[in-house]
Amino acid sequence: MLMWCHAPTLQQYIAQAQRENSALRTATVQRGVLNIELDDLRQTLMKLWHLPELLVRISDSRHAEQSIVRNVVLAVTPGAPHDAWLGQSGIAR
């Protein structure tokens, strides 16, 4: 959203590149256009803005497997299936 508001030309270029080549990964286009992936930029900005560490951590896809992150994501995701955090055996991971 910030890209569309503050750098619409760059975001439009990224969107157009993906429309033209559906096999092109978003991160690849972002690195090519911005010299950084938006996930990394978001993490850096949240740390610069001194947002709470938990918020920074749960929004970082590299921490997606941590139980605290899974719990928060499931809690705030409307209609999230309860078995998303259960293993195939039905026992909580």
Side-chain angles (χ1 to χ4, degrees), residues 15-22:
Q16 181 64 31
Q18 288 182 298
R19 277 193 298 274
E20 291 173 0
N21 182 356
S22 61

Side-chain angles (χ1 to χ4, degrees), residues 9-21:
T9 305
L10 292 173
Q11 183 60 39
Q12 210 167 26
Y13 182 81
I14 291 169
Q16 181 64 31
Q18 288 182 298
R19 277 193 298 274
E20 291 173 0
N21 182 356

